[in-house]
Amino acid sequence: MAAQAAVVSSFSRFRGASASQLQPVSAGLRRSYSQDGSISQFLHHSLVPTMHYQKSLPRLPIPKLEDTIRRYLNAQKPLLNDDQFRKTEQLAVNFRNGIGRELHEQLVAQDKQNKHTSYISGPWFDMYLKARESVVLNFNPFMAFSPDPKAEYNDQLTRATNMTVSALRFLKTLRAGFLEPEVFHLNPSRSDTQAFKKFIRFVPSSLSWFGAYMVNAYPLDMSQYFRLFNSTRLPKRNRDELFTDEKARHLLVLRNGNFYTFDVIDRDGNIMKPLEIQAHLKYILSDNSAAPAFPLACLTTENRDSWASLRQELLDSGNEEALRKVDAAIFCLCFDDSPVKDLIHLSHTMLHGDGTNRWYDKSFNLILARDGTAAIHFEHSWGDGVAVLRFQNEVFKDSTQSPAVTPQSQPAVVDSSAAVQKLTFKLNDTLKEGITKAKQNFDATVKRLTVEILEFKRGGKEFLKRQNLSPDAVVQLAFQMAFLQQYGQTVATYESCSTAAFKHGRTETIRPASVHTKSCSEAFVREPFKRSTAELQEMIAECSKYHSQLTKEAAMGQGFDRHLFGLRYLGESTGVPLPDFYQDQAYAQINHNILSTSTLSSPAVTMGGFAPVVPDGFGIGYRVHDNFIGCSVSSYPARNVHEFLQCVHKSLDEMFNVLEGKHASKD
C-alpha cells in the first residue's frame, strides 16, 4: 500500500506540475470561425516541436548507495526510539556493505544497458499494474476545474461542449507535434521568448536539452502524454495491461449509468463541428432512459482479479464490440444529474461518485455536474500529475478564452438518434451477481470515507515568502504539529515530487518528518512558553531550510525511496531472498504512510483530493495561495479528520503568531 502514495499524484501528486503556467493567448492564436461554424483544429502551433527535447533529456540518476542509506537513516530518526534506531542503523550498514552493494552494482549495470528509459520506469509500472486493490480510492485522484469566469458559460451543456472541443484541440495539437514542449523556466525573460524558440528549434534534438539548460530552462519528460487519449487500464489476472488505440475517433459519454458513443473526429482526422457535438450531447442529456438495474461501470470499482474474471465473462457473453468501444474511446465524459452542494460534496462526487457513472479504468474521466462544476478523475498507472495538469491547464484556458460555443448557440440540426449509439451489454446471472456484489463492496467502502475542508485565511504564500520561508515547508510543519497535538507522535509522512526533469522520470518522495520538524513541533505543542519568539522563529527557519534541501534533492532524483524500491524489485525479480534490511519493522513502518500529502498550483484548478493510502492514515491535498492556505483531507474511521484540521488550523495560527512577533513566551 505504501507505494500507492505516489498516486496525484496523488495528486503528481504534484510538485513540479506547476511548471505549466497559464500563458496569455496571443492575438494571433485566437480562434477563427468560418461561415459554416468550423473552427481551428489546434490550440496553437509551437515554434519548437512538442518532442524536440525528449531525445536529449538527462537520464534519471541512480543515487550513490551511501547517500541513500544516509538519507534513509535521517528519515528514520524522528520515527524511532534510540534502541529501535540502533537496530535499524545496523541493518542498514550491513545492507550497504553486503547484499545491498551487490544489488546496487547490478542495478547500475542494468541501467547502463537501458539508456532509452529510467531505472524506475518499469518497476513503477509494475507496482501499479500488479496491485490488486480497486483503483477507486486506492489510486485514482481528482482535480476540480475552476469555474468559467463568465458565469453563463458554466451551463452544463455549454461547458461540456467547450471542454470537449478544447480537449480534442489538445489531442490534435499534441499528435501534430504543435503543442508547446513542457519546460520549467527559471529565467523566462531569457528562455520563454520567441527569439530563443527560433534559435533552439534548429538545434538537433540530440543536443536541444543542453541549449535550454544554458539559459536556465529545464524541459520535462513528455513520454506519458500519448496515454492521455484512447487509453484504458485493462484488468488481467496478476497484472493489468494498458491499452491504447489512437485510430478510434469516438467519445464515450456516461449518464445515469448508461453508455453512449459518437464520433467527434471525422474520417479526415478533423474535429467535428462544435454545434454538432453540442447537439449530440444535448440529445444524451434529454434521454429519459432509466438507470440500468445492473450498472456495468461498478465492475471497474472491483478488486482487479475479480474484475478480470468478470471481464472475461463479459467477452465470452458477446460484449466484445461494446467493450472495445469503451476501451478505445478518446476519453470518458460523465454527466451527473445533480448539482454540487459544497466543497465536501464536490470532493466525494469527483473522487468516487456513486460507482455507476464513471469508467474508473479510463486514462481520465471528465466529469460535469448539473451546475457545470467540472473535474478530471484519472487512473494513475499510465502517468503522473504533470501530464494531467498540463492538459487541464490548456483545456481551461482554451475553453474559457476561446470557447467553441456560446450560451446562445443553437445546436446543429442533425439526426443525433442516428449518430449517437447507446451501448447495450448482454448480462448473464454471473455478471449480474458480480455487478451487485461490486456495488455493495463499493458502497460499504465509500461510506467509511470522510472528507473535510480547511481554509486558513490569515495569510499564505506572500506573507511566508516575506519571512524568507518556504510556504510548502511551513504547511508541512503544520501537519507535523497537528498530528503530534492530536495523537502524541511523529509518523511516516509522504510528499510526492515529480522527477519529470529526467527521461521517463516518475516521482520521488520527500520525507517531511525530520528531526527538525519533530523538535520544532514538540517546542510548540509540549512546551509553548519555554522558548523565546526568536528561538521559535529560528526553529521554523531551520525546518524550512531542511525541507527545501529535501525538495531539491528529490526533484534531482536524489531521494532514497525509489532507489530502495528499485533494489528490492531487482532482488525479487532475480530470485534473491528478501534481505534482512527490508524485513525490518522500521522499514515497513516508514512505508506505512499515515500522512500522505500532495500539493499543486494552477489557476485552472480549485482543488484536488485523494483517499488515504493506509486504513489509519490521512489523505491530504493542499494549496498555498497568495493570501490563504487550503486543505482537503480525507480519512477512514480510524482517524478523526475534523479534529486533525482543527489542530492544523491551531498550528498555523501559532506559527503565524510567532512569525508576526505576537507569541506569548518567555520573552
Side-chain angles (χ1 to χ4, degrees):
M1 290 283 287
Q4 292 167 22
V7 194
V8 316
S9 146
S10 219
F11 319 153
S12 135
R13 305 163 131 203
F14 293 123
R15 169 160 312 289
S18 57
S20 312
Q21 295 304 314
L22 295 182
Q23 302 297 330
V25 178
S26 70
L29 297 179
R30 289 286 177 191
R31 302 288 159 241
S32 53
Y33 293 83
S34 63
Q35 294 281 316
D36 63 358
S38 62
I39 47 124
S40 165
Q41 298 288 308
F42 304 105
L43 298 173
H44 51 245
H45 191 148
S46 172
L47 279 172
V48 184
T50 306
M51 305 303 280
H52 188 56
Y53 297 108
Q54 192 68 27
K55 192 174 179 181
S56 58
L57 282 174
R59 301 195 62 232
L60 182 68
I62 299 176
K64 292 179 182 174
L65 186 58
E66 293 78 8
D67 290 342
T68 287
I69 296 301
R70 173 178 53 79
R71 291 173 179 133
Y72 170 73
L73 290 173
N74 284 343
Q76 284 284 18
K77 205 150 203 171
L79 308 180
L80 305 173
N81 64 33
D82 289 347
D83 288 342
Q84 291 168 331
F85 183 77
R86 273 193 294 272
K87 180 193 170 195
T88 291
E89 186 177 37
Q90 190 57 56
L91 286 167
V93 169
N94 293 346
F95 179 74
R96 182 191 68 198
N97 297 335
I99 185 63
R101 172 72 52 201
E102 293 174 32
L103 289 170
H104 175 76
E105 288 171 359
Q106 287 176 38
L107 185 66
V108 170
Q110 186 183 77
D111 187 54
K112 283 179 180 170
Q113 298 297 314
N114 292 278
K115 293 186 176 176
H116 63 285
T117 187
S118 70
Y119 78 91
I120 201 61
S121 182
W124 212 240
F125 274 120
D126 265 5
M127 180 274 294
Y128 277 120
L129 295 172
K130 285 183 176 178
R132 299 294 84 192
E133 302 92 342
S134 167
V135 295
V136 188
L137 300 187
N138 293 305
F139 293 100
N140 295 14
F142 81 90
M143 293 189 286
F145 281 96
S146 301
D148 193 304
K150 302 179 292 296
E152 67 274 19
Y153 278 78
N154 289 303
D155 166 76
Q156 187 182 29
L157 176 59
T158 303
R159 197 168 200 207
T161 306
N162 283 327
M163 285 189 155
T164 297
V165 173
S166 293
L168 295 171
R169 286 174 180 154
F170 184 99
L171 176 153
K172 291 264 298 174
T173 310
L174 171 68
R175 289 184 180 167
F178 297 162
L179 188 71
E180 284 274 356
E182 184 75 355
V183 179
F184 189 73
H185 298 279
L186 285 178
N187 188 356
S189 62
R190 289 184 68 197
S191 59
D192 198 12
T193 64
Q194 293 299 99
F196 176 74
K197 289 171 185 175
K198 284 176 181 174
F199 159 73
I200 200 69
R201 66 186 292 197
F202 292 112
V203 175
S205 290
S206 57
L207 299 171
S208 55
W209 181 87
F210 299 95
Y213 175 75
M214 295 299 287
V215 290
N216 235 356
Y218 294 87
L220 303 183
D221 179 80
M222 297 183 75
S223 62
Q224 299 171 3
Y225 280 56
F226 82 100
R227 293 274 192 202
L228 269 165
F229 302 106
N230 301 99
S231 297
T232 301
R233 175 175 174 164
L234 302 181
K236 301 282 183 179
R237 279 268 168 196
N238 303 319
R239 186 188 189 276
D240 292 354
E241 292 175 7
L242 292 174
F243 168 85
T244 302
D245 177 7
E246 294 189 356
K247 294 190 178 80
R249 298 181 284 113
H250 63 278
L251 180 70
L252 172 66
V253 183
L254 264 58
R255 176 170 172 257
N256 206 19
N258 294 302
F259 291 67
Y260 309 83
T261 67
F262 63 90
D263 284 353
V264 286
I265 304 275
D266 68 21
R267 293 179 193 280
D268 297 322
N270 295 315
I271 300 169
M272 304 281 265
K273 293 175 184 175
L275 295 179
E276 288 185 19
I277 293 174
Q278 185 181 31
H280 299 332
L281 293 178
K282 184 177 181 181
Y283 172 80
I284 292 168
L285 283 169
S286 305
D287 184 9
N288 293 320
S289 298
F294 298 96
L296 189 77
C298 288
L299 293 180
T300 62
T301 72
E302 258 293 10
N303 165 281
R304 303 305 292 178
D305 281 339
S306 301
W307 173 204
S309 299
L310 289 163
R311 180 183 167 87
Q312 192 57 51
E313 189 77 26
L314 273 167
L315 292 169
D316 295 343
S317 301
N319 295 293
E320 187 171 355
E321 190 181 336
L323 278 176
R324 177 79 186 201
K325 282 273 190 184
V326 171
D327 298 334
I330 293 172
F331 64 90
C332 180
L333 174 66
C334 307
F335 280 131
D336 284 1
D337 283 350
S338 55
V340 167
K341 298 170 192 166
D342 53 36
L343 291 178
I344 293 174
H345 182 233
L346 182 150
S347 296
H348 283 292
T349 299
M350 305 309 183
L351 181 59
H352 55 77
D354 69 0
T356 69
N357 207 49
R358 315 273 184 266
W359 197 257
Y360 297 101
D361 289 353
K362 281 304 277 182
S363 54
F364 72 89
N365 289 256
L366 173 59
I367 305 166
L368 270 292
R370 171 63 79 188
D371 61 356
T373 301
I376 296 279
H377 172 111
F378 70 97
E379 195 280 315
H380 219 312
S381 64
W382 64 270
D384 302 307
V386 174
V388 179
L389 190 60
R390 170 70 185 274
F391 170 69
Q392 198 154 358
N393 282 343
E394 296 285 3
V395 167
F396 180 76
K397 179 177 75 172
D398 188 65
S399 64
T400 57
Q401 296 183 5
S402 305
V405 299
T406 72
Q408 292 74 42
S409 297
Q410 291 301 310
V413 180
V414 289
D415 184 4
S416 292
S417 65
V420 177
Q421 178 187 4
K422 187 175 179 185
L423 301 182
T424 57
F425 298 89
K426 304 179 187 78
L427 304 178
N428 60 25
D429 288 346
T430 301
L431 289 164
K432 289 177 181 178
E433 186 184 332
I435 291 168
T436 301
K437 186 183 170 194
K439 181 74 167 101
Q440 289 169 348
N441 291 342
F442 174 86
D443 288 345
T445 302
V446 300
K447 197 162 76 175
R448 297 173 60 248
L449 186 78
T450 302
V451 178
E452 293 269 350
I453 306 294
L454 165 74
E455 284 195 353
F456 179 80
K457 297 182 176 175
R458 271 185 69 177
K461 197 181 296 179
E462 288 180 1
F463 171 77
L464 294 170
K465 286 192 169 178
R466 283 199 302 272
Q467 311 297 314
N468 293 318
L469 296 171
S470 154
D472 189 61
V474 171
V475 178
Q476 287 287 348
L477 179 55
F479 299 149
Q480 295 298 315
M481 282 187 199
F483 198 89
L484 183 70
Q485 187 177 342
Q486 188 179 9
Y487 295 106
Q489 61 183 138
T490 296
V491 292
T493 308
Y494 181 110
E495 179 182 359
S496 184
C497 177
S498 172
T499 52
F502 301 96
K503 186 179 291 184
H504 293 191
R506 294 290 306 239
T507 59
E508 182 54 91
T509 309
I510 301 165
R511 291 291 183 172
S514 67
V515 291
H516 304 287
T517 61
K518 187 174 185 178
S519 59
C520 186
S521 297
E522 287 176 346
F524 272 85
V525 173
R526 292 184 174 155
E527 41 189 42
F529 306 115
K530 288 187 180 175
R531 309 238 181 199
S532 68
T533 301
E535 285 174 318
L536 291 172
Q537 288 173 344
E538 180 57 37
M539 293 181 91
I540 295 171
E542 189 61 39
C543 290
S544 174
K545 182 180 171 187
Y546 187 69
H547 186 80
S548 297
Q549 177 193 325
L550 292 180
T551 302
K552 185 177 179 182
E553 287 174 353
M556 297 309 292
Q558 295 292 330
F560 66 84
D561 281 83
R562 299 298 174 270
H563 187 194
L564 292 178
F565 180 86
L567 294 175
R568 179 174 181 167
Y569 178 91
L570 178 63
E572 289 171 349
S573 64
T574 54
V576 174
L578 188 65
D580 291 344
F581 172 81
Y582 291 110
Q583 298 183 54
D584 183 14
Q585 181 58 38
Y587 181 82
Q589 180 180 284
I590 202 171
N591 285 294
H592 184 87
N593 290 297
I594 289 173
L595 295 178
S596 181
T597 74
S598 186
T599 186
L600 72 149
S601 177
S602 166
V605 178
T606 51
M607 65 181 297
F610 50 93
V613 297
V614 293
D616 58 340
F618 289 114
I620 305 172
Y622 64 99
R623 288 184 66 184
V624 188
H625 301 261
D626 287 344
N627 295 301
F628 75 96
I629 296 165
C631 297
S632 167
V633 184
S634 61
S635 77
Y636 296 113
R639 299 288 179 192
N640 185 330
V641 68
H642 182 71
E643 187 179 286
F644 176 71
L645 280 178
Q646 286 180 323
C647 294
V648 171
H649 197 285
K650 182 172 184 283
S651 300
L652 287 168
D653 249 342
E654 289 174 354
M655 278 194 281
F656 271 61
N657 285 342
V658 165
L659 295 172
E660 291 172 356
K662 298 175 184 174
H663 178 64
S665 67
K666 73 175 190 181
D667 289 359

